[in-house]
Amino acid sequence: MAAVAVRVCGGVWRRTWKRGARGPGPAPRGQHAVACNARGGAVPAGKSGLAPWVPVVGLEIHAQISSNSKLFSGSQVQFAAPPNSLVSFFDASLPGTLPAGYQITQQRVPIAVNGSLSYSLCIDNKMSQMVTKTVRIKQIQLEQDSGKSLHDDTRSQTLIDLNRAGVGLMEVVMEPDMCCGEEAAAAVRELQLILQTLGSSQAVMAEGQLRVDANVSVHHPGEPYGVRTEVKNINSIRFLAKAVDYEIQRQIEELENGGTILNETRAFDSKLGCTVPMRDKEGKQDYRFMPEPNLPPLILYDAKSLPANMNHQQVVNIDWIHKRLPDLPSVKRAKLVEQYGILPEHSFTLLNEDGLAEFFENVVKQTQMKPKKVIGWIIKDLLSHLKQHSLTVKESPVSSFLLADLLNLLVKKDISSTAAKQVLAELWKGEGKTPLEIVKEKKLGLIQDQKELEQICQAVIDRQENEVMAIKSGNQKVLNKLIGLVQRETQGRSNAVLVRQILEKKLSE
């Protein structure tokens, strides 16, 4: 028999014994090793539970600062450049320069302390049910990135690429206020959106511009925190959720089997879906900190503390910057809901896809269709096409103008919704045709002759004797089948509302 970890109220996990379950080891590929939901409620895996556990998750997030050059050298910052092609003498610590040979960071006086981040996540994976949580931010500090080791197992060699060495990073240290991978992933996604909105970082995880270290431990309620492990350099929000959940289960299984947790650094193997040990965790005594004599203190001012005789262009005034900040994602979402009357969950979808909110607003400005209906076309149709073809909003072959033009035809009742979807599919081919041109070419316009439509409806009624009897007996739901048959007969060129009216009139005679 093997043990399965289950989440219960208050962020507590219980061990439940399930006959025939998998023992310790990598989770099946593509599956979460543990269950987690925003409500914090139990996710049953067995009839009885023993030995509750409380998982504790804290994050350290390294975001690459948006800059054309490195922090203390003029070397260019560029993704995927040839190895060691963007390295100055200073970056490489070569003799004859002022050799660094160490990482510069803000150890004693970080740039910001005692903050917080609010984030939202779904309850039971339902977008219509969301809860907002808050994680405390201990500090934000500036530091240099280090070089990258490239391991060649075939030749048993390790090569060093110093292109990243000296690139400016901001490290966001979050307090251990989370309890599962889902919460960690939601918090990082919200931070990513904030950084991208402010322009502080492009935060593209696939390019190493946002990397996450997850600190994970488990303990019994009322006891001190357990020994933590650190899962390093996670470069995907999806992998972050999987890594944290796997590590929680691994630690619980290890302790339940009488083992101990080592204070070590681990890596997440995305192919196996598990964490693997890298090295023992260095203690604080292994770090050597000393002041950098070549760097003056970084002093931040606000309107009150700014000296009267100070040159405003040579100082950092927090209040001046704050007044010029764009709306943060949470404010944008609230404005979208208030201005357009859309559902809160739709506002999250609009902001989670880069450029989708702007696309939506551009369509609304150019169409007569109500925003509540436009959002359906954006999320259900446009976004599904984009995901199906692995395209970003900016790469969409259907512009906001074309979609608005199509929706205007629908509003004016020139075409049916079925025909509109056919037109959208044609627009997706990117052949340069307008919606109206496609409608004329494919003969998708609505049948305007009511007598013709009445004849089609009558023909459908004559062929569906059983359905007609059911409707006349009081089963009005069957009427939808007749409407569908008329739509099929007209190849989507009939107005469903008008068809219903005609059928109801004929069936009541």
Side-chain angles (χ1 to χ4, degrees):
M1 292 189 294
V4 180
V6 180
R7 178 89 175 281
V8 300
C9 295
V12 175
W13 296 70
R14 292 187 183 276
R15 297 292 293 168
T16 60
W17 296 98
K18 186 177 180 182
R19 190 177 300 276
R22 290 174 60 94
R29 187 174 298 182
Q31 297 182 13
H32 283 284
V34 288
C36 173
N37 60 54
R39 197 194 304 274
V43 184
K47 294 183 178 179
S48 62
L50 297 172
W53 293 95
V54 179
V56 178
V57 180
L59 302 177
E60 297 173 7
I61 302 160
H62 298 83
Q64 181 176 313
I65 298 171
S66 292
S67 174
N68 293 326
S69 62
K70 297 183 180 181
L71 205 56
F72 299 115
S73 80
S75 298
Q76 187 180 358
V77 176
Q78 179 185 336
F79 176 68
N84 295 311
S85 63
L86 305 175
V87 184
S88 70
F89 291 148
F90 180 80
D91 301 328
S93 304
L94 294 178
T97 70
L98 294 174
Y102 50 83
Q103 182 187 38
I104 297 176
T105 183
Q106 291 179 308
Q107 190 259 341
R108 293 184 176 87
V109 187
I111 197 168
V113 296
N114 300 329
S116 64
L117 172 69
S118 294
Y119 61 96
S120 299
L121 62 162
C122 305
I123 298 177
D124 300 329
N125 291 321
K126 296 178 181 178
M127 282 295 291
S128 59
Q129 301 180 40
M130 306 194 75
V131 63
T132 299
K133 297 196 172 189
T134 300
V135 57
R136 293 170 296 154
I137 296 178
K138 180 180 179 181
Q139 64 189 51
I140 300 176
Q141 62 196 45
L142 299 176
E143 64 181 29
Q144 290 176 303
D145 203 348
S146 56
K148 182 179 181 180
S149 299
L150 304 171
H151 304 292
D152 187 344
D153 294 333
T154 304
R155 301 180 181 180
S156 299
Q157 292 180 335
T158 296
L159 306 176
I160 304 297
D161 180 7
L162 294 179
N163 279 348
R164 267 187 359 200
V167 171
L169 301 178
M170 67 180 90
E171 180 178 4
V172 182
V173 183
M174 294 182 176
E175 298 284 7
D177 295 339
M178 293 160 282
C179 61
C180 67
E182 184 181 0
E183 291 185 3
V188 171
R189 178 54 180 151
E190 186 69 10
L191 177 63
Q192 183 183 40
L193 287 173
I194 291 173
L195 294 174
Q196 291 171 340
T197 299
L198 298 177
S200 305
S201 171
Q202 295 180 11
V204 180
M205 299 190 79
E207 297 184 5
Q209 296 172 355
L210 190 72
R211 308 192 297 273
V212 183
D213 301 338
N215 294 282
V216 181
S217 68
V218 298
H219 66 281
H220 291 301
E223 294 183 357
Y225 285 177
V227 176
R228 66 180 173 89
T229 59
E230 183 178 30
V231 186
K232 294 283 289 186
N233 289 330
I234 304 171
N235 63 353
S236 157
I237 290 178
R238 183 166 58 92
F239 291 164
L240 171 63
K242 288 186 175 183
V244 169
D245 285 346
Y246 177 87
E247 186 60 20
I248 291 171
Q249 177 169 323
R250 185 194 70 82
Q251 292 188 20
I252 292 174
E253 288 181 350
E254 184 71 29
L255 294 170
E256 288 285 349
N257 291 328
T260 58
I261 303 301
L262 299 178
N263 183 212
E264 62 181 353
T265 299
R266 301 177 70 88
F268 179 68
D269 188 320
S270 59
K271 294 181 179 179
L272 296 176
C274 66
T275 63
V276 294
M278 293 175 62
R279 60 180 185 271
D280 291 341
K281 185 68 179 170
E282 300 98 337
K284 288 184 178 180
Q285 65 276 10
D286 292 330
Y287 288 99
R288 302 289 185 267
F289 290 102
M290 65 192 75
E292 167 55 75
N294 296 302
L295 294 178
L298 175 59
I299 302 175
L300 306 180
Y301 297 94
D302 57 18
K304 295 180 179 179
S305 63
L306 186 65
N309 59 347
M310 186 72 70
N311 186 337
H312 290 214
Q313 296 180 345
Q314 296 181 350
V315 298
V316 179
N317 185 336
I318 296 175
D319 290 333
W320 186 90
I321 295 174
H322 187 267
K323 291 178 182 178
R324 288 158 178 79
L325 292 180
D327 288 339
L328 294 183
S330 58
V331 177
K332 283 185 178 180
R333 286 190 283 260
K335 286 185 176 180
L336 287 169
V337 171
E338 181 181 357
Q339 183 174 352
Y340 300 110
I342 63 176
L343 297 174
E345 56 264 30
H346 290 160
S347 70
F348 276 88
T349 303
L350 289 178
L351 260 66
N352 281 343
E353 300 293 332
D354 186 27
L356 192 60
E358 182 181 0
F359 190 100
F360 164 74
E361 291 188 291
N362 287 338
V363 173
V364 170
K365 291 175 184 177
Q366 301 172 83
T367 184
Q368 301 166 10
M369 182 176 283
K370 293 182 179 179
K372 287 184 178 180
K373 291 187 176 181
V374 173
I375 192 68
W377 282 89
I378 294 289
I379 294 177
K380 294 179 182 178
D381 296 282
L382 179 79
L383 190 56
S384 63
H385 273 81
L386 291 173
K387 290 185 178 297
Q388 183 180 350
H389 295 86
S390 300
L391 296 175
T392 65
V393 175
K394 294 179 181 178
E395 296 169 332
S396 172
V398 181
S399 66
S400 60
F401 172 79
L402 285 176
L403 183 57
D405 199 12
L406 171 60
L407 297 184
N408 282 335
L409 292 177
L410 193 57
V411 171
K412 291 186 292 184
K413 299 182 179 179
D414 290 336
I415 57 174
S416 66
S417 58
T418 303
K421 293 182 186 295
Q422 292 178 255
V423 174
L424 181 61
E426 290 296 319
L427 288 173
W428 200 258
K429 296 178 181 179
E431 296 176 349
K433 299 175 183 177
T434 67
L436 184 58
E437 289 172 342
I438 294 172
V439 168
K440 291 180 177 179
E441 180 184 314
K442 302 290 183 180
K443 297 181 180 179
L444 296 173
L446 281 179
I447 297 174
Q448 302 296 335
D449 189 338
Q450 184 161 339
K451 287 185 178 180
E452 180 184 353
L453 202 54
E454 288 177 351
Q455 291 175 356
I456 296 172
C457 289
Q458 186 62 54
V460 169
I461 290 174
D462 293 341
R463 292 196 300 266
Q464 306 295 324
E465 295 182 4
N466 293 335
E467 284 74 7
V468 170
M469 290 177 59
I471 294 171
K472 290 186 175 182
S473 299
N475 189 352
Q476 293 299 314
K477 292 182 179 179
V478 182
L479 184 62
N480 292 328
K481 180 179 179 181
L482 297 186
I483 295 172
L485 291 172
V486 174
Q487 289 280 48
R488 183 189 301 175
E489 191 78 16
T490 62
Q491 297 181 333
R493 296 174 56 234
S494 56
N495 185 324
V497 176
L498 181 57
V499 169
R500 176 181 288 275
Q501 292 172 354
I502 294 173
L503 289 172
E504 288 177 342
K505 181 180 179 180
K506 287 183 174 295
L507 291 170
S508 64
E509 294 176 348

